[in-house]
């Protein structure tokens, strides 16, 4: 705060000084800073360091051997497959739902918003059980699926469905407030000038939401690749077939293969770090774009 006062212009300094929220004693600021940094170090940084330390405890050879294992490669492929299918579908759904909610008025609008928030309020394990209830052998559609030799539960389709369910709010929830804040004046002007619906979306709406859209896709992809609860219920834990990376880590750890478990877990940790870096870049580019527009 002292730095902000030092570099701020006179009017900004007066604003800082006149604001009661910025006149706390120095010991209060230092205490809050120490608490924040301590929480970060204990609950975030220390576990992250522990993952990489344990992963490399037996050397690089063991680390790369664990990653090159056939079952690990199968888990990586399945995780990527689920993300590659779920993220584009949620991208289409998120843009469509945000456009509908932000640009139009209709009956049941609040109900649709509530449904979008449903995966945030329902436990992923419960979501997985819902799919078992519908598509399982004793579920509503189970007999018909067995009769036609269609496998959903304990197979790749079930994993994809569970991944889609737990990740579909992310894109929509990023775009809805953004589109509502922007209003619909520009789209209406484009329509009056003769632009088609697709031209309006491509040339007016999409440029305005591109950073929020990219941000939502990043979060959606990170959740898709790290999902455990719902996928664990519908996967059946078939090694080499229906185990994603988080499930593979659990199996290795339960079998006391700690070095291999932490080696595979380090991939997910690296994914989290890369996601944070990309997120910061997107936020910086968005702020730069907004400042230029202003």
């Amino acid at each position: 705060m002292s730095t902000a006062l030092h570099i701020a212009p006179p009017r900004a300094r007066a604003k800082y000084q006149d604001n009661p929220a910025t006149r706390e004693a120095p010991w209060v600021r230092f205490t809050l800073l120490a608490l924040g940094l301590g929480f970060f170090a204990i609950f975030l940084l220390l576990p992250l360091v522990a993952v990489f330390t344990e992963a490399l405890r037996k050397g690089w050879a063991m680390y790369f051997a664990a990653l090159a294992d056939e079952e690990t490669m199968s888990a990586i492929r399945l995780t990527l497959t689920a993300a590659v299918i779920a993220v584009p579908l949620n991208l289409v759904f998120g843009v469509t739902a945000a456009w509908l909610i932000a640009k139009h008025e209709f009956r049941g609008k609040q109900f649709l918003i509530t449904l979008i928030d449903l995966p945030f309020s329902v436990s992923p394990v419960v979501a997985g059980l819902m799919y078992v209830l519908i598509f399982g052998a004793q579920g509503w559609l189970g007999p018909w699926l067995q009769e036609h030799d269609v496998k959903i539960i304990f197979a790749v389709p079930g994993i994809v469905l569970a991944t889609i369910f737990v990740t579909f709010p992310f894109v929509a929830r990023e775009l809805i407030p953004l589109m509502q804040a922007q209003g619909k004046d520009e789209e209406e002007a484009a329509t009056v000038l003769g632009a088609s619906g697709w031209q309006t979306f491509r040339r007016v709406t999409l440029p305005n939401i591109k950073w929020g859209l990219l941000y939502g896709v990043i979060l959606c992809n990170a959740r898709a690749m790290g999902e455990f609860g719902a996928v664990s219920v519908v996967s059946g834990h078939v090694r080499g077939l229906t185990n994603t990376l988080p499930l593979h880590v659990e199996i290795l750890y339960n079998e006391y293969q700690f070095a291999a478990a932490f080696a595979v877990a380090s991939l997910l940790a690296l994914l989290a770090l890369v996601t944070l870096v990309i997120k910061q870049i997107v936020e910086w580019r968005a702020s730069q774009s907004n400042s230029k527009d202003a």
Side-chain angles (χ1 to χ4, degrees):
M1 185 176 299
S2 60
T3 302
L5 287 173
H6 179 72
I7 65 176
R11 290 184 180 179
R13 294 181 189 177
K15 182 178 179 181
Y16 274 119
Q17 294 170 353
D18 293 338
N19 187 356
T22 61
R23 292 203 300 263
E24 66 274 2
W27 69 268
V28 175
R29 297 198 300 269
F30 292 138
T31 301
L32 294 176
L33 180 61
L35 289 174
L37 292 178
F39 182 91
F40 171 78
I42 296 174
F43 294 101
L44 297 176
L45 185 59
L46 187 59
L48 188 64
V49 172
V51 168
F52 288 99
T53 300
E54 292 296 326
L56 298 173
R57 182 177 295 276
K58 295 186 178 181
W60 288 99
M62 179 63 187
Y63 178 81
F64 288 116
L67 298 184
D69 181 73
E70 182 178 351
E71 292 181 356
T72 301
M73 297 304 298
S74 176
I76 293 174
R77 287 192 295 268
L78 180 56
T79 302
L80 293 176
T81 299
V84 166
I85 297 174
V87 173
L89 290 177
N90 285 323
L91 170 63
V92 174
F93 169 80
V95 173
T96 304
W99 174 281
L100 184 64
I101 292 171
K103 307 298 183 180
H104 301 276
E105 295 295 332
F106 56 92
R107 294 179 62 182
K109 182 175 180 178
Q110 290 301 320
F111 181 67
L112 177 58
I113 295 175
T114 302
L115 289 180
I116 292 175
D117 291 336
L118 185 62
F120 287 146
S121 58
V122 174
S123 168
V125 174
V126 175
L129 290 175
M130 290 190 300
Y131 281 109
V132 173
L133 177 62
I134 297 173
F135 301 110
Q138 306 300 323
W140 297 347
L141 302 179
W144 185 89
L145 293 174
Q146 286 184 329
E147 181 181 348
H148 293 80
D149 195 25
V150 177
K151 295 181 179 180
I152 295 181
I153 301 301
F154 306 152
V156 175
I159 294 174
V160 173
L161 286 174
T163 303
I164 292 174
F165 178 85
V166 299
T167 57
F168 83 79
F170 286 93
V171 176
R173 263 301 164 198
E174 288 298 324
L175 294 183
I176 289 173
L178 179 60
M179 285 188 175
Q180 288 176 332
Q182 291 173 350
K184 48 187 176 182
D185 293 341
E186 294 185 17
E187 284 84 356
E188 291 176 346
T191 302
V192 171
L193 293 175
S196 64
W198 171 247
Q199 288 175 329
T200 300
F201 174 77
R202 184 167 56 90
R203 297 184 178 181
V204 178
T205 304
L206 188 59
N208 289 336
I209 66 171
K210 61 182 179 180
W211 296 117
L213 181 62
L214 182 57
Y215 187 78
V217 168
I218 292 171
L219 295 179
C220 180
N221 182 72
R223 178 62 189 276
M225 299 186 72
E227 172 56 26
F228 179 85
V231 171
S232 178
V233 174
V234 302
S235 71
H237 296 272
V238 183
R239 302 186 66 156
L241 294 177
T242 62
N243 273 341
T244 59
L245 276 176
L247 300 183
H248 189 53
V249 171
E250 181 195 31
I251 289 178
L252 292 175
Y253 191 85
N254 289 338
E255 293 179 347
Y256 303 102
Q257 301 182 47
F258 298 125
F262 281 104
V264 178
S266 69
L267 291 180
L268 295 173
L270 285 173
L271 171 65
L273 293 176
V274 171
T275 300
L276 288 176
V277 171
I278 297 176
K279 171 178 170 291
Q280 291 299 319
I281 294 175
V282 169
E283 289 179 345
W284 177 77
R285 292 293 301 273
S287 64
Q288 292 292 107
S289 178
N290 293 335
S291 62
K292 289 182 181 179
D293 294 339

